[in-house]
Amino acid sequence: MSNYSIHTIASVINATFLQEVDEQLSVEHLCIDSRRIVHAGHSLFFALHTQKRDGHQYLKQAYEKGVRNFVVSKPIHQSVLSDANILHVPDTLTALHDLTSYHRSMFSIPVIGITGSNGKTIVKEWLYHLLSDAYNIVRSPKSYNSQIGVPLSVWQMHKEHTLAIFEAGISQKGEMQHLQKIIQPTIGVFTNLGNAHEEGFESAAEKFTEKSVLFQNAATIIYSPEHTKGFELDKRNREIISCGIESTDILQTVSIQKQVSSTMLSLKWKSNSFQITIPFTDDASIHNAVTCVGVCLHLNMAIEQLQNKLLQLKPVSLRLEIKKGLNHCTLINDSYSADVSSFEIALNLLMQQNQHPHKTIILSDFPVSVNLEIETYKTIAEQIIAKQIKKVIIIGVTAKNHLQNHLPAAVQLISFTSLEEMILQLPALNFHKEAILIKGARSFGLERLMPLLEQQVHQTVLEINLSAVTKNFKIIQQQLQPHVKIMGMVKAFSYGSGSFEIANLLQYNGADYLAVAFTDEGVALRKAGITLPIMVMNPETVSFDLLTENNLEPELFSFAILNAFKSYLENEGISNYPVHIKIDTGMHRLGFENYELPKLCEQIKLGNCFSIQSVFSHLTSSEDEAEDDFTILQAKLFDEACNFIEKQTGEVFLKHLNNTSGILRHSNLQYNMVRLGIGMYGISSTPSVHLLEEALTLKTTIAQIKHLQPGDTVGYNRTGKITKPSTIATVRIGYADGYPRSLNNGKGYMLVNGKPAPIIGTVCMDMTMLDVTEITNAKEGDEVLVFGKELSIHQIAKWAATIPYEIMTGISQRVKRIYFEE
């Protein structure tokens, strides 16, 4: 482990002591998130400051968890951290970079730095697999390649390691110079130059130049000229290994022969010809594999050994899947990797599942060398204890031998020597209402547990990318002034994408409020462990008991609902109950109009029943530039209402007017809270939507394929006319699943193997027919994309003459939701 004294760290980052209590405290771990602290006693907390979130706000939480070393950039009241070492620097992110750069300089081992637009994580993971027999490797966890992820990755370098592999990603000019100083690669790998993050650079040339900064001191660079759009790397004083199809390339691909499930490559390495086979056929995997071959040959790996290892390559799972399990369980599938860093990431996702108080881990042996076993399993045990996990199921012998020595008796430890033994005993394990993390090495094949534990439903699935939702949430945060809060709209089953799953994510990522449509939605969130304040937009008199019992806050929009709730509170002897006042500034749907405000304020002041939490209104046309004058008028009426209520009641409250489109178009109307709804999913009606990432993907499969002749018809009322020999695929989705019935006979299409397949005939209740005549490789069981990144939900809505909201909320509950983090 890394071990630095606090004085050494202070010197490295040019810090001054605001408070020095214990110079003997050593630092082994770095932390930036008070929710993820495990090794508190030997951790150094960096109070990082972003546009919206300030790590200084979480010093107390970190201190209460046992952290006694801090790096800050603001004055701190020592009484808050009374017996802690406090280092002050001008900028905490710069200090984090400086410390990890210094740490990197302590090592003289080969360090591979990988950058490019795509494929960084795949190449990193494949290199780890290919080289792990020859080296003790440290690598970036998952895709930790940012200004924060890279330093945390490099900090993992220890004296036992003989090779390091780190990836570096940038989204704008000037970022790579910081990552270069931290990684200091001796070997550079450039995967490709694509379209990702184009908006952060003036041109492809600028992006190439910026990414190449990573290699400015590298002795060797490995890249493919045909995948860098013709841009050339600086060849001065370094070895350049080009991988391509030209005879001048150092690693030349002479021929490519694709089989059903594998590809044979004829290669030439410095005049030495040989053949390899990889278990993939897609072009991206072939390119990534050739890149890996170039790195391995540069490191003098024998071709025979390389061939054997290449045959063992498997697709890299870049996501953690969350699925519904049997007996009301939730499953998290991370069955493809086993290392300490990815275990911590998966464990944090497990702890976000507040709907289950009981958490279980199914864990296989980790593939680590004997000299690292004790430290590895000790770290795993510390993480399990810190998260208060009560049940751990072990598959394998090594993990059991170590963990039983480190885990307390309070942790139920169940062990099996093999997966087959566990499967035989599965009924006896009696999983019920718990969140289960499945985490293990590929060799154990833990993915075979998923179909045995998963709730089996409809093959049509809606995938929700939680990483994209988080990204969109943070992008919206960055549009806000520092004091502005966010209310997450999770009404209508979170726009069809789930309820507690999205609420858990918003709560974890710092949302300030949630809003639901009806009381029962709020009750369900409370039962799922959501503790954020929740506004109920349509409270009903029959639900007042449930509302107050679950600390839900009603929207008052009329005198009828106000008086009914006031009478209820008086009868129950409840005072100062939190409420939200809706003002009608032009929507004319719900809310008090300005002429009603004097009477409203009188009612509020009588009896001391209410405490106003917020006053808000709803913009009618925030996305429409042509209606901006009306938006300005609405804001004027809203200001008048808020000022009047403040003056008459003397209360201080939150004010919110902006929805997603308003946030993106009317920054002057943020007040002190905004409401974020459909924008969480990367969907908006404003031009700024390109900032966001679509988070939803609806998929189905082909149930049957038929070959029809001219004169045949397809579907109800024979609306689909066949005029030439045609191949028709029936897919497992219909209007009962929420697919619009109006999209018949060529008005819409789906993607089969990436190609458009027009709808033919009428959309049925449970099935839809597609014309796949031009898609010659289509077969039964193939996946079909209904909407997603390649076919936007905006397009589906346009075909159906509606809006994305209706498409999203119309997706049936029988459609299985799968949540994943990248």
Side-chain angles (χ1 to χ4, degrees):
M1 302 295 290
S2 309
N3 195 320
Y4 292 96
S5 72
I6 194 67
H7 277 276
T8 299
I9 291 173
S11 175
V12 168
I13 64 176
N14 294 314
T16 56
F17 277 94
L18 291 183
Q19 179 172 282
E20 182 182 357
V21 174
D22 188 352
E23 65 178 20
Q24 301 303 316
L25 280 178
S26 62
V27 171
E28 297 178 6
H29 307 277
L30 306 183
C31 54
I32 59 168
D33 190 332
S34 61
R35 299 165 297 185
R36 300 186 177 190
I37 293 169
V38 176
H39 314 280
H42 295 283
S43 289
L44 175 64
F45 184 88
F46 281 82
L48 299 183
H49 187 278
T50 64
Q51 185 171 355
K52 181 63 180 177
R53 294 295 167 190
D54 186 353
H56 296 82
Q57 297 174 352
Y58 304 98
L59 295 173
K60 185 177 179 182
Q61 289 93 320
Y63 180 82
E64 288 173 348
K65 290 187 176 181
V67 176
R68 292 297 180 267
N69 292 301
F70 295 87
V71 178
V72 302
S73 59
K74 293 182 177 180
I76 301 297
H77 292 291
Q78 280 89 341
S79 59
V80 177
L81 312 174
S82 59
D83 59 339
N85 295 318
I86 307 173
L87 300 178
H88 181 270
V89 294
D91 183 88
T92 49
L93 181 60
T94 299
L96 176 64
H97 288 181
D98 290 343
L99 177 59
T100 48
S101 297
Y102 174 81
H103 179 64
R104 162 66 184 92
S105 69
M106 297 293 102
F107 300 88
S108 58
I109 62 175
V111 175
I112 301 173
I114 306 173
T115 195
S117 299
N118 304 103
K120 297 184 291 295
T121 302
I122 292 172
V123 168
K124 178 198 68 186
E125 292 299 320
W126 282 359
L127 285 175
Y128 176 79
H129 166 76
L130 295 170
L131 296 166
S132 56
D133 288 344
Y135 296 91
N136 189 341
I137 302 173
V138 57
R139 71 194 194 281
S140 309
K142 295 290 182 180
S143 54
Y144 271 37
N145 57 33
S146 67
Q147 299 291 308
I148 297 174
V150 167
L152 295 181
S153 299
V154 168
W155 185 258
Q156 296 179 102
M157 295 179 74
H158 304 312
K159 61 182 180 181
E160 296 86 359
H161 296 125
T162 56
L163 176 68
I165 310 175
F166 302 121
E167 54 177 295
I170 58 172
S171 58
Q172 58 188 13
K173 187 176 180 180
E175 290 182 330
M176 189 62 86
Q177 61 182 341
H178 303 298
L179 303 187
Q180 189 278 329
K181 291 176 182 177
I182 300 169
I183 298 175
Q184 302 168 39
T186 59
I187 301 170
V189 176
F190 201 125
T191 57
N192 58 31
L193 186 67
N195 297 324
H197 303 297
E198 277 191 333
E199 65 276 6
F201 304 94
E202 293 183 1
S203 64
E206 182 180 77
K207 182 162 65 170
F208 178 81
T209 300
E210 284 296 312
K211 288 183 179 291
S212 302
V213 168
L214 179 64
F215 312 134
Q216 64 185 26
N217 295 321
T220 304
I221 304 176
I222 298 161
Y223 84 116
S224 168
E226 59 192 296
H227 287 86
T228 52
K229 298 184 177 180
F231 297 115
E232 289 293 328
L233 290 159
D234 180 3
K235 299 180 180 180
R236 291 172 296 178
N237 301 318
R238 69 181 79 216
E239 179 184 16
I240 302 292
I241 298 174
S242 59
C243 306
I245 58 174
E246 304 297 332
S247 59
T248 53
D249 288 316
I250 305 299
L251 177 60
Q252 181 190 5
T253 302
V254 179
S255 68
I256 300 174
Q257 298 178 29
K258 294 184 179 181
Q259 310 297 325
V260 175
S261 59
S262 63
T263 301
M264 187 172 73
L265 301 171
S266 295
L267 304 174
K268 182 182 287 187
W269 168 257
K270 299 178 180 178
S271 76
N272 183 16
S273 297
F274 60 99
Q275 291 183 332
I276 61 168
T277 300
I278 60 172
F280 305 99
T281 59
D282 62 287
D283 291 342
S285 293
I286 292 170
H287 166 62
N288 290 332
V290 170
T291 300
C292 290
V293 169
V295 176
C296 292
L297 293 176
H298 169 68
L299 292 172
N300 300 315
M301 187 174 184
I303 291 175
E304 272 191 25
Q305 182 188 8
L306 178 59
Q307 171 63 92
N308 292 333
K309 297 287 283 186
L310 285 167
L311 288 171
Q312 299 169 22
L313 287 180
K314 293 182 180 180
V316 175
S317 176
L318 298 180
R319 63 193 221 176
L320 290 162
E321 287 189 341
I322 307 175
K323 297 184 178 182
K324 292 188 184 301
L326 297 171
N327 303 322
H328 306 287
C329 291
T330 296
L331 308 176
I332 299 178
N333 181 21
D334 194 20
S335 56
Y336 296 100
S337 62
D339 57 77
V340 169
S341 298
S342 66
F343 177 70
E344 182 177 357
I345 292 168
L347 191 56
N348 284 321
L349 183 58
L350 176 68
M351 299 313 296
Q352 290 180 42
Q353 308 312 306
N354 294 307
Q355 68 273 21
H356 298 296
H358 302 294
K359 310 289 196 298
T360 297
I361 300 174
I362 300 175
L363 192 71
S364 79
D365 285 349
F366 277 28
V368 295
S369 59
V370 175
N371 61 327
L372 288 178
E373 280 182 2
I374 294 175
E375 189 63 43
T376 297
Y377 289 109
K378 180 184 176 185
T379 301
I380 291 170
E382 288 172 342
Q383 292 176 350
I384 290 170
I385 294 167
K387 302 299 184 183
Q388 299 181 347
I389 303 298
K390 299 303 182 185
K391 183 162 65 175
V392 179
I393 298 171
I394 297 173
I395 300 171
V397 177
T398 308
K400 175 191 174 184
N401 292 340
H402 287 282
L403 290 180
Q404 65 186 2
N405 296 326
H406 294 298
L407 293 176
V411 178
Q412 182 184 5
L413 203 59
I414 304 169
S415 64
F416 301 97
T417 56
S418 67
L419 180 63
E420 289 71 22
E421 182 185 352
M422 179 185 173
I423 291 173
L424 288 173
Q425 297 296 321
L426 213 51
L429 293 173
N430 194 30
F431 294 119
H432 184 66
K433 291 184 178 180
E434 51 197 293
I436 304 169
L437 169 62
I438 301 173
K439 177 72 179 173
R442 285 176 177 268
S443 59
F444 282 84
L446 297 192
E447 67 273 10
R448 286 183 285 159
L449 283 174
M450 287 301 292
L452 302 176
L453 297 175
E454 188 179 352
Q455 183 179 342
Q456 298 302 310
V457 288
H458 199 12
Q459 286 190 36
T460 299
V461 299
L462 178 67
E463 294 185 344
I464 297 97
N465 183 343
L466 297 179
S467 297
V469 175
T470 300
K471 172 189 172 184
N472 295 333
F473 180 83
K474 293 187 180 301
I475 286 173
I476 293 296
Q477 278 187 328
Q478 291 167 7
Q479 312 299 311
L480 306 178
Q481 297 299 316
H483 68 281
V484 178
K485 299 178 183 295
I486 294 182
M487 174 181 281
M489 308 300 289
V490 291
K491 62 180 183 175
F493 197 57
S494 291
Y495 297 85
S497 64
S499 56
F500 59 75
E501 295 89 352
I502 301 301
N504 275 333
L505 185 74
L506 293 174
Q507 180 168 275
Y508 185 79
N509 282 289
D512 303 284
Y513 251 96
L514 298 178
V516 297
F518 298 102
T519 300
D520 57 353
E521 294 177 315
V523 172
L525 293 182
R526 287 288 184 247
K527 289 181 177 178
I530 300 301
T531 58
L532 284 176
I534 299 174
M535 179 177 79
V536 178
M537 304 185 74
N538 292 292
E540 298 167 307
T541 55
V542 295
S543 65
F544 286 164
D545 280 330
L546 280 175
L547 189 145
T548 54
E549 286 170 9
N550 289 275
N551 195 27
L552 305 174
E553 304 174 6
E555 169 190 322
L556 303 182
F557 53 81
S558 70
F559 287 113
I561 194 69
L562 181 149
N563 290 326
F565 191 54
K566 184 178 182 182
S567 295
Y568 170 82
L569 295 176
E570 288 173 343
N571 288 337
E572 296 296 318
I574 300 173
S575 60
N576 295 312
Y577 196 85
V579 296
H580 301 260
I581 306 297
K582 176 71 173 290
I583 305 298
D584 182 1
T585 58
M587 176 71 82
H588 297 321
R589 186 173 59 182
L590 294 175
F592 295 96
E593 297 193 49
N594 279 24
Y595 75 86
E596 297 177 298
L597 296 183
K599 181 180 176 182
L600 170 66
C601 291
E602 287 178 11
Q603 293 285 350
I604 290 172
K605 288 188 290 185
L606 286 174
N608 200 33
C609 289
F610 304 131
S611 172
I612 302 175
Q613 297 303 294
S614 82
V615 173
F616 71 104
S617 187
H618 197 100
L619 296 174
T620 68
S621 316
S622 57
E623 75 283 358
D624 190 349
E625 184 177 355
E627 296 291 346
D628 280 353
D629 286 344
F630 190 74
T631 296
I632 294 170
L633 175 61
Q634 283 194 272
K636 180 175 179 293
L637 292 173
F638 182 64
D639 287 338
E640 291 173 357
C642 290
N643 292 336
F644 185 86
I645 295 171
E646 279 181 331
K647 184 176 180 180
Q648 293 298 314
T649 65
E651 295 208 37
V652 178
F653 44 79
L654 295 167
K655 305 167 189 174
H656 45 112
L657 183 64
N658 269 346
N659 54 10
T660 296
S661 296
I663 296 167
L664 296 172
R665 293 198 65 245
H666 301 285
S667 60
N668 59 316
L669 301 181
Q670 292 178 6
Y671 296 95
N672 49 18
M673 188 154 73
V674 296
R675 299 186 301 274
L676 176 60
I678 201 168
M680 284 187 280
Y681 310 101
I683 298 166
S684 172
S685 303
T686 73
S688 300
V689 73
H690 72 274
L691 295 171
L692 308 176
E693 179 181 342
E694 287 198 24
L696 305 180
T697 302
L698 183 60
K699 295 178 178 179
T700 188
T701 58
I702 295 175
Q704 189 176 25
I705 288 180
K706 292 182 178 292
H707 301 282
L708 304 183
Q709 300 301 318
D712 289 336
T713 60
V714 177
Y716 285 115
N717 305 116
R718 306 186 68 206
T719 56
K721 310 291 186 182
I722 300 297
T723 59
K724 62 180 182 179
S726 300
T727 304
I728 306 301
T730 299
V731 298
R732 296 178 169 94
I733 190 171
Y735 60 78
D737 301 297
Y739 193 72
R741 188 175 181 274
S742 59
L743 301 187
N744 52 43
N745 272 330
K747 290 183 183 176
Y749 63 77
M750 301 179 196
L751 295 182
V752 177
N753 297 329
K755 298 178 182 177
I759 295 167
I760 183 169
T762 303
V763 174
C764 306
M765 181 180 289
D766 309 301
M767 299 285 175
T768 301
M769 285 69 73
L770 306 177
D771 187 340
V772 294
T773 306
E774 304 300 321
I775 307 174
T776 55
N777 60 345
K779 60 185 182 299
E780 293 175 2
D782 276 358
E783 189 174 83
V784 177
L785 181 73
V786 182
F787 65 71
K789 286 184 179 179
E790 296 80 15
L791 178 56
S792 173
I793 193 172
H794 282 278
Q795 182 62 68
I796 308 299
K798 184 177 180 180
W799 288 335
T802 184
I803 58 176
Y805 289 79
E806 183 175 349
I807 302 297
M808 284 179 63
T809 57
I811 299 171
S812 167
Q813 290 305 297
R814 78 177 185 181
V815 173
K816 178 169 65 174
R817 270 72 173 169
I818 295 177
Y819 304 87
F820 67 91
E821 281 199 355
E822 291 181 330

